Amino acid sequence: MPVVNPEKLIGLQKNSEGIRNICILAHVDHGKTSLTDALIATNGIISPKLAGKIRYLDSRPDEQLRGITMESSAISLHFSMLRRSQADEAPSQKEYLINLIDSPGHIDFSSEVSTASRLCDGAVVLVDAVEGVCSQTVTVLRHTWTEHLQPLLVINKIDRLVTELKMSAGEAYTHLSKLLEQVNAVVGSFFQGERMEEDLKWRERVEERVAATAAKEKERADRKAAAPVSEESFESGETLKDDSTSGVYEEKDDESLYFAPERNNVIFSSAVDGWAFTVKQFAALYEKKLGIKRATLEKVLWGDYYLDPKTKRILGHKHLKGRLMKPMFVQLVLDNIWAVYEATTGGSKGKGDPNMVEKITKSLSITLPPHVLRSKDPRVLLTTLFAAWLPLSTALLVSVIEHLPSPPAAQAARLPAMIGSSPGASAVDETIRRALIEFQHTKEDPVVAYVSKMVAVPESELPHNKRRQGALSAEEARELGRKKRAEIAQAQAMAYEANQPDSMAYVTEALDDARIDEKSIDEELGRAEEQKQDPEHLIGFARLYSGVLSVGDEIYVLPPKFSPSSPDAPPEPRKATITALYLLMGRGLEPLTSVPAGVVFGVEGLEGHILKSGTLCTQLPGAVNLAGVSIASQPIVRVALEPTNPSDLDKMITGLRLLEQSDPCAEYEVLESGEHVILTAGELHLERCLKDLRERFARCEIQAGEPIVPYRESIVSAAEMAPPQKKDLSRGTVIAVTTSKQITVRVRVRPLPTSVTEVLEKSAGSIRSFYSGQKNEEDIELDIEDEDDVGENDVTGGPTIAPTSRMTLDTLKTQLKLAFAEAKGERDVWANAVERIATFGPRRVGPNVLIDATKIDCCHRLFEDPHDSKADPSSNDGAQQTTTNQLTPRDLADKISYAFQLATAQGPLCSEPVQGVAVFIEEVTITATPEDDNDNTTRENPGRLTGEVIKTVRDSIRQGFLDWSPRLLLAMYSCEIQASAEVLGRVYGVITRRRGRILSESLKEGTPFFTILSLLPVAESFGFSDEIRKRTSGAASPQLIFQGFETLDQDPFWVPFTEEEIEDLGELADKENVAKRYMDAVRVRKGLFVRGKKLVVNAEKQKTLKR
């Protein structure tokens, strides 16, 4: 294959219609990188013989060692083909630029898939023909759906149906049909979910219009009764008529969404053998032979269509009349491919047939080289024959060019939805919106680019630092000579100072070593590299949507939280200067001077401006934030790090910050205890981060502690619970008095119904947006009125909630009412609970509620109308407010709310967040004491009472929590494993030993593989993948996906107290309390007191050897 020069690729960037930005998505080990190798070989970058073996885009050593992709990487490819501009014109040669991104398939690196999909316009989705639809297959299909990417399906590894499963061509066709149905079922579920959501929104709009119509009709009737019909009322009636007839539900056709071979969006391939085909290719092959039009053949080559060999007519299933005939796809396509396998490798027979190979080559008009025919390796013959007949690159790239859109077409379809979902979409400047959607690509147009991630590149890998191949220039030779002469002078000086007899011999050795040859040049460069550390440079992985970006341009860098509605809000966007632009070529970079719109490129100069992702824009007012919507998975595994040598602490901190910037999913934080913690997506991701930290970013030895697993704390009403702490009070009720005896608080703690907890967990984003909208309104009001005494919950006058947040809040209120109504046997307890909710916690968005059950409404209600008189803190509270400066319970509302946040953020079991708890504030009493005369505590200056109230309420909530039966909630992984029947028992044994629970086991139809779904605690998952592979000899590999938290139904404080339990288990309870073990492990790690811990058990007197 001829090598394509980078200059040619750079020239093709100017033709936007000839650009295709695609990403390859699939489950792990479904053949993405092998498929990419075949495409790279077309540009002469690697040999076609090494395609599928070298894995060119897996540039990391650990990627090559493990055989999986860990980082998404991009490469630009050139492809030319003959195309007709119109049907009656002669075909002409057209050139295309393919910007290809290879993404990982492992669940730990799903954030890399998110970054790759946002940059592209189309996606090539691979599915293993044997394994079928797996967990990550569903995930990547969802990515294509949410990002509005045009998908192309590749059914890969069809050779396994021949070589491993020994299927016949007919059985393979049935298997492929079912596989295609499974993929389409996944896509159909996305469409159905979206249509249900649209239907719900449409019904809400119709109800709003009906209510508005009724209100206007009533208003009209009142006006008619009061005065004759005016022109204004007539016009409002006309408008009303138009509104009532405009809400028609629009039906959508989903036929174009599905994969169908007859539409040429399905490719059948074997990347390892280097072949692929579409139905369109075989339709062109058989057009002349069968005398049937190509368009007709494309429609009938897949499906229940049969070819009558006598009449050469195409028959449907109904017209077979009992005859046994093969479908056309089997007869004309699969039989020929199966014949090639049998002739070369032997297929099921085990030995090839040279005569059959000769017949096949003659019928296909293919000439094979003599050395290939004489080769003893049958695979050489197989791959050469397929490369000449059905080359993989041709089938795939032609489909990409014909089926996937160019940047102008893709942006017109994708960008309206992307802009609409961005923060502050209504404030986006119309000029920028038009430039993005209409693909304006001149230098005068606004520049908008999206940076999906930052990639760390060693300085030696940058283009201007790479050593040029060939002889040294005159200037380089002179510089090298100067260095050698300096070495000789230094050696002579050292010998003179030493004044030793062999000093001249030392000088002679130095002169010999100073010879300038090729070897000395390499040694000199090697020593220089050792002496000089190779610093890391952060390169932005970006896509330009409009305008032209050049080196030296100054451009605004917008952070992910930027909103055009408040462009000057902190963190304020800053300008950055573009220092370099690069063409991404897999393992290398090529320098660019400017980049036109529609291109995927690398950008340097953003270090210190972007943490992980961001948007580049030429103007700040009305700018669009394309990085505001993140679909990356959240990290779950935390590990505390420390350097082996304490003096390397600064190096480690600098390395951690570099790692956080260069990894889309890794996060770095410093705990209150001073620990430096890194958060990763999983065990494999953690291993990769530690390797990068030690070898690239920090360059020092680092010790990693035990993984820090998150837990949650909750309470339940169990059948066997200890009696309440105070018999005269109901369970969970605590009456506490502050240290000064001035304030008495009555608190009652109860477990929340499960349905309410689920609603709050799902609505965390809506609650957060409500609080942010409320804060923005407060800031605006403070700026206008210049009032310094307005608190967070004291906003009066003007709307406190944005319209969208108000609707969300009303919906949340309705959902909470329905959830409380589902609580069986507790309806009296939760009556009017929604109206009395003061806040949620922890962090004001968690699944716990603070309910104001006082008679005087001392707390501010969350769902209360701000214009209501009760919401005004200056309103009268009866006898509680006799003078303006007297302290009232309402003045303590913010302290009680803060104490609730503290208590739910750190529970009493092991200081982990609390979940599913309701706290009722039943009474707050302020008692005047003789000391008040000398005290300065007032409404505006509570003094020491602030700390006393917070401490008292927090401790009361914890006491009430422990009055119930406490529970730990474990973080759980959903585990999917594919294994054969031979190793099924070993897989079950490993899962059971690690406290896992089997959910389902199903046999994949047509294969000998079982799919096992199970739940596994995150705390027990470390080393699970390695153990599974060892026990099954590599025959099974798990995929772990974070599922959420699940209650461990065991009281950590349980001890045997009945006679039967003591008789069965003894006083020490021989049965291990797993919940207590988890709780004690967390308490030990946090330095908390562990109850009942014995340092020495069964101690005996030490005996010496003599006695």
Side-chain angles (χ1 to χ4, degrees):
M1 293 288 178
V3 179
V4 179
N5 294 324
E7 291 77 11
K8 191 168 189 176
L9 298 174
I10 295 170
L12 290 173
Q13 290 182 346
K14 299 175 183 177
N15 179 20
S16 58
E17 292 294 337
I19 297 176
R20 299 293 185 272
N21 297 316
I22 63 170
C23 55
I24 299 186
L25 310 175
H27 188 76
V28 65
D29 286 336
H30 279 201
K32 298 180 297 299
T33 310
S34 300
L35 185 80
T36 308
D37 274 1
L39 304 182
I40 294 173
T42 61
N43 279 225
I45 299 173
I46 62 173
S47 169
K49 295 179 181 179
L50 297 176
K53 301 174 185 176
I54 194 171
R55 300 199 306 277
Y56 181 77
L57 290 183
D58 286 350
S59 54
R60 295 171 56 97
D62 48 355
E63 288 179 328
Q64 291 286 341
L65 184 65
R66 290 181 174 271
I68 62 171
T69 305
M70 297 185 185
E71 288 183 350
S72 56
S73 49
I75 192 167
S76 297
L77 303 175
H78 165 265
F79 183 68
S80 62
M81 62 181 290
L82 292 171
R83 294 197 74 182
R84 288 186 175 92
S85 301
Q86 295 180 359
D88 54 348
E89 290 186 2
S92 59
Q93 191 80 11
K94 292 193 176 180
E95 296 182 330
Y96 296 89
L97 177 66
I98 312 291
N99 292 321
L100 176 71
I101 301 179
D102 182 25
S103 62
H106 198 281
I107 183 63
D108 282 8
F109 309 108
S110 58
S111 57
E112 296 278 352
V113 180
S114 305
T115 59
S117 58
R118 176 59 66 95
L119 298 176
C120 298
D121 303 320
V124 178
V125 180
L126 268 72
V127 178
D128 191 319
V130 175
E131 295 183 6
V133 177
C134 299
S135 58
Q136 277 299 94
T137 310
V138 179
T139 303
V140 298
L141 284 171
R142 185 178 290 111
H143 273 301
T144 61
W145 180 267
T146 54
E147 290 291 333
H148 305 283
L149 299 178
Q150 186 75 21
L152 194 65
L153 180 66
V154 177
I155 301 179
N156 194 25
K157 299 190 179 182
I158 294 181
D159 59 288
R160 294 182 66 188
L161 303 180
V162 187
T163 56
E164 290 184 24
L165 302 186
K166 310 292 184 185
M167 286 185 177
S168 65
E171 293 170 342
Y173 170 69
T174 306
H175 179 80
L176 294 173
S177 301
K178 292 179 178 177
L179 176 60
L180 196 60
E181 289 174 4
Q182 292 174 6
V183 177
N184 284 331
V186 174
V187 178
S189 66
F190 300 151
F191 176 77
Q192 185 180 5
E194 188 177 90
R195 292 301 287 163
M196 289 176 66
E197 186 177 354
E198 290 178 359
D199 179 59
L200 181 62
K201 291 180 179 178
W202 175 79
R203 291 179 187 277
E204 290 177 354
R205 288 197 301 269
V206 169
E207 289 175 1
E208 289 175 5
R209 283 176 183 156
V210 169
T213 303
K216 288 182 179 179
E217 292 250 347
K218 186 178 180 182
E219 185 179 350
R220 252 177 74 196
D222 294 343
R223 285 181 182 176
K224 282 183 179 180
V229 180
S230 63
E231 187 178 351
E232 182 182 353
S233 64
F234 177 78
E235 289 176 1
S236 66
E238 289 294 329
T239 308
L240 195 102
K241 183 179 179 182
D242 293 338
D243 287 344
S244 62
T245 58
S246 60
V248 180
Y249 186 68
E250 296 181 3
E251 294 292 342
K252 286 186 179 179
D253 185 19
D254 60 340
E255 185 180 356
S256 60
L257 302 175
Y258 300 115
F259 298 106
E262 59 268 21
R263 287 205 292 269
N264 294 306
N265 59 0
V266 179
I267 301 171
F268 304 90
S269 79
S270 169
V272 72
D273 291 339
W275 61 265
F277 67 89
T278 59
V279 166
K280 187 176 182 179
Q281 280 180 270
F282 275 93
L285 289 173
Y286 287 108
E287 180 183 12
K288 293 181 180 179
K289 189 173 182 180
L290 298 177
I292 303 174
K293 292 183 179 180
R294 183 186 299 185
T296 306
L297 276 176
E298 288 178 14
K299 294 178 182 178
V300 299
L301 265 180
W302 177 268
D304 291 333
Y305 297 100
Y306 305 86
L307 181 64
D308 191 337
K310 295 181 180 179
T311 61
K312 295 292 179 73
R313 291 180 58 191
I314 298 171
L315 305 176
H317 187 71
K318 297 178 181 178
H319 300 91
L320 287 180
K321 298 178 181 179
R323 288 182 292 176
L324 293 176
M325 297 177 66
K326 296 180 181 179
M328 291 182 66
F329 190 77
V330 176
Q331 184 180 357
L332 302 180
V333 181
L334 293 185
D335 276 347
N336 294 324
I337 293 173
W338 259 242
V340 173
Y341 274 97
E342 288 185 4
T344 53
T345 61
S348 57
K349 297 178 183 177
K351 188 177 181 181
D353 187 355
N355 297 327
M356 194 179 226
V357 171
E358 189 177 352
K359 289 181 182 178
I360 291 172
T361 53
K362 284 184 178 179
S363 62
L364 295 174
S365 302
I366 295 173
T367 304
L368 297 179
H371 71 275
V372 173
L373 294 171
R374 292 195 301 266
S375 175
K376 294 182 179 180
D377 186 2
R379 288 195 55 79
V380 174
L381 182 60
L382 174 72
T383 53
T384 308
L385 181 54
F386 271 127
W389 179 33
L390 300 172
L392 186 148
S393 57
T394 303
L396 183 59
L397 293 179
V398 168
S399 298
V400 163
I401 289 166
E402 292 183 348
H403 187 72
L404 300 186
S406 61
Q411 289 186 201
R414 292 181 64 209
L415 265 297
M418 284 176 61
I419 297 172
S421 61
S422 64
S426 58
V428 175
D429 190 356
E430 193 61 32
T431 307
I432 291 181
R433 187 188 297 268
R434 197 182 312 113
L436 290 172
I437 296 174
E438 297 178 2
F439 192 76
Q440 297 176 0
H441 55 279
T442 63
K443 292 185 178 181
E444 292 75 20
D445 296 318
V447 175
V448 178
Y450 170 63
V451 182
S452 66
K453 68 171 183 174
M454 302 295 286
V455 182
V457 179
E459 187 174 355
S460 59
E461 296 294 327
L462 296 178
H464 56 271
N465 290 330
K466 284 192 174 182
R467 185 186 166 197
R468 183 173 49 83
Q469 300 295 328
L472 294 175
S473 65
E475 187 177 348
E476 291 171 340
R478 282 195 294 272
E479 180 65 26
L480 189 57
R482 278 195 294 270
K483 288 183 180 179
K484 293 299 179 182
R485 285 193 294 274
E487 286 184 8
I488 294 170
Q490 185 181 4
Q492 288 175 346
M494 291 176 63
Y496 180 76
E497 290 175 3
N499 196 16
Q500 294 181 359
D502 57 347
S503 59
M504 290 306 297
Y506 181 77
V507 174
T508 306
E509 288 181 8
L511 289 172
D512 290 338
D513 292 339
R515 287 178 300 174
I516 301 177
D517 54 10
E518 190 67 28
K519 184 178 179 182
S520 65
I521 292 172
D522 295 336
E523 290 176 356
E524 173 68 21
L525 291 173
R527 281 196 295 269
E529 287 178 1
E530 289 178 3
Q531 292 173 2
K532 180 185 176 183
Q533 286 189 349
D534 198 4
E536 299 284 340
H537 287 249
L538 291 174
I539 307 295
F541 197 31
R543 156 81 182 268
L544 190 63
Y545 285 98
S546 67
V548 176
L549 186 64
S550 304
V551 176
D553 287 355
E554 288 191 353
I555 193 165
Y556 282 103
V557 181
L558 312 180
K561 293 185 179 180
F562 171 82
S563 176
S565 57
S566 53
D568 297 324
E572 190 173 349
R574 294 182 296 170
K575 272 194 171 183
T577 303
I578 305 301
T579 57
L581 297 170
Y582 299 108
L583 176 68
L584 303 171
M585 291 298 294
R587 301 183 182 185
L589 300 170
E590 295 293 337
L592 298 172
T593 55
S594 64
V595 173
V599 173
V600 176
F601 63 99
V603 55
E604 189 177 3
L606 306 178
E607 192 170 351
H609 297 273
I610 288 182
L611 179 61
K612 291 183 181 294
S613 62
T615 309
L616 307 181
C617 193
T618 48
Q619 66 182 60
L620 189 59
V624 64
N625 180 10
L626 298 176
V629 181
S630 176
I631 53 176
S633 59
Q634 294 299 318
I636 186 66
V637 178
R638 297 184 295 170
V639 171
L641 305 178
E642 64 176 4
T644 306
N645 186 358
S647 63
D648 292 335
L649 181 61
D650 291 339
K651 284 185 182 180
M652 189 188 77
I653 293 174
T654 305
L656 282 169
R657 287 173 179 160
L658 266 174
L659 175 67
E660 185 182 22
Q661 283 184 282
S662 63
D663 194 300
C665 191
E667 294 181 8
Y668 162 58
E669 62 181 21
V670 181
L671 301 183
E672 295 178 358
S673 59
E675 290 178 295
H676 299 273
V677 173
I678 182 174
L679 288 81
T680 60
E683 192 177 2
L684 184 59
H685 186 212
L686 171 64
E687 187 178 332
R688 192 198 76 180
C689 289
L690 290 177
K691 181 180 175 65
D692 285 348
L693 198 59
R694 292 179 179 125
E695 297 179 1
R696 294 177 58 190
F697 301 128
R699 289 191 177 92
C700 64
E701 286 300 319
I702 293 174
Q703 294 178 346
E706 291 294 323
I708 303 171
V709 179
Y711 293 89
R712 295 290 184 269
E713 301 179 20
S714 187
I715 52 176
V716 296
S717 178
E720 296 180 357
M721 287 191 295
Q725 296 176 1
K726 295 184 179 179
K727 296 182 180 179
D728 54 335
L729 298 175
S730 59
R731 186 180 293 275
T733 303
V734 178
I735 300 176
V737 184
T738 59
T739 310
S740 62
K741 312 294 184 184
Q742 193 171 351
I743 297 175
T744 305
V745 181
R746 181 186 174 104
V747 175
R748 180 159 54 97
V749 179
R750 289 189 63 88
L752 266 180
T754 308
S755 55
V756 178
T757 307
E758 292 175 355
V759 170
L760 291 178
E761 286 179 338
K762 294 177 183 177
S763 308
S766 302
I767 301 170
R768 187 179 289 108
S769 64
F770 156 67
Y771 277 118
S772 62
Q774 190 181 42
K775 188 175 183 301
N776 290 337
E777 291 291 343
E778 290 172 7
D779 293 341
I780 294 170
E781 195 167 300
L782 284 172
D783 291 338
I784 295 173
E785 300 180 3
D786 195 21
E787 293 180 354
D788 296 333
D789 57 343
V790 180
E792 184 182 349
N793 296 314
D794 298 335
V795 180
T796 59
T800 60
I801 310 169
T804 54
S805 300
R806 182 182 292 275
M807 287 182 63
T808 305
L809 207 63
D810 292 340
T811 307
L812 174 63
K813 184 177 179 180
T814 306
Q815 291 179 354
L816 285 174
K817 284 184 178 180
L818 294 174
F820 276 119
E822 293 176 5
K824 296 181 179 178
E826 297 182 342
R827 292 188 178 180
D828 296 338
V829 176
W830 305 111
N832 300 323
V834 177
E835 286 77 7
R836 294 181 293 165
I837 291 177
T839 186
F840 303 105
R843 298 178 182 270
R844 302 197 299 177
V845 295
N848 306 285
V849 294
L850 177 66
I851 298 176
D852 180 14
T854 58
K855 297 179 180 179
I856 58 173
D857 299 339
C858 73
C859 294
H860 305 282
R861 306 289 176 84
L862 183 68
F863 295 104
E864 197 169 33
D865 188 358
H867 300 285
D868 194 356
S869 61
K870 291 182 180 180
D872 191 352
S874 61
S875 61
N876 293 330
D877 288 331
Q880 293 291 330
Q881 194 170 4
T882 56
T883 62
T884 57
N885 205 27
Q886 184 178 352
L887 192 69
T888 64
R890 180 177 279 274
D891 298 322
L892 305 175
D894 55 341
K895 286 79 177 174
I896 294 173
S897 175
Y898 183 68
F900 170 74
Q901 302 297 336
L902 289 178
T904 53
Q906 294 185 339
L909 298 184
C910 49
S911 295
E912 291 289 317
V914 176
Q915 177 174 314
V917 172
V919 178
F920 292 82
I921 303 296
E922 294 186 334
E923 188 178 359
V924 179
T925 307
I926 300 177
T927 307
T929 61
E931 298 176 359
D932 288 349
D933 298 334
N934 301 325
D935 200 353
N936 295 325
T937 55
T938 60
R939 293 184 61 188
E940 297 180 357
N941 184 22
R944 70 179 187 281
L945 290 180
T946 298
E948 289 184 4
V949 171
I950 291 173
K951 180 179 180 298
T952 303
V953 174
R954 183 196 64 187
D955 294 344
S956 302
I957 293 173
R958 290 182 174 178
Q959 289 178 25
F961 183 98
L962 295 174
D963 212 9
W964 297 85
S965 183
R967 291 290 187 272
L968 273 182
L969 278 77
L970 307 183
M972 302 296 287
Y973 276 137
S974 171
C975 175
E976 179 181 327
I977 303 176
Q978 283 198 351
S980 59
E982 291 80 8
V983 297
L984 208 57
R986 300 174 192 174
V987 171
Y988 274 35
V990 175
I991 294 174
T992 307
R993 189 160 52 251
R994 291 177 174 265
R995 302 189 57 79
R997 188 173 79 253
I998 306 295
L999 297 179
S1000 67
E1001 171 199 320
S1002 58
L1003 177 66
K1004 275 194 173 290
E1005 196 171 349
T1007 69
F1009 296 104
F1010 287 86
T1011 301
I1012 305 158
L1013 291 176
S1014 62
L1015 284 177
L1016 187 74
V1018 175
E1020 304 286 349
S1021 67
F1022 301 103
F1024 174 72
S1025 300
D1026 289 339
E1027 187 178 359
I1028 282 283
R1029 280 192 287 269
K1030 288 176 183 176
R1031 296 284 181 182
T1032 62
S1033 301
S1037 183
Q1039 284 278 302
L1040 300 175
I1041 306 172
F1042 180 65
Q1043 192 72 14
F1045 291 89
E1046 185 179 272
T1047 304
L1048 177 62
D1049 195 15
Q1050 195 172 17
D1051 190 340
F1053 299 119
W1054 179 86
V1055 290
F1057 59 91
T1058 65
E1059 292 184 1
E1060 294 180 359
E1061 290 173 347
I1062 293 174
E1063 183 179 350
D1064 291 343
L1065 304 174
E1067 293 183 359
L1068 296 177
D1070 297 336
K1071 181 182 177 183
E1072 183 189 20
N1073 191 330
V1074 180
K1076 188 176 187 307
R1077 173 161 62 85
Y1078 288 143
M1079 181 185 73
D1080 289 348
V1082 177
R1083 293 186 71 89
V1084 168
R1085 177 175 58 79
K1086 293 184 176 182
L1088 304 175
F1089 174 72
V1090 179
R1091 186 188 303 175
K1093 183 180 180 181
K1094 294 182 179 180
L1095 297 177
V1096 180
V1097 181
N1098 299 329
E1100 295 180 1
K1101 182 180 178 181
Q1102 183 180 1
K1103 296 181 179 180
T1104 61
L1105 294 176
K1106 292 183 179 179
R1107 297 181 183 179

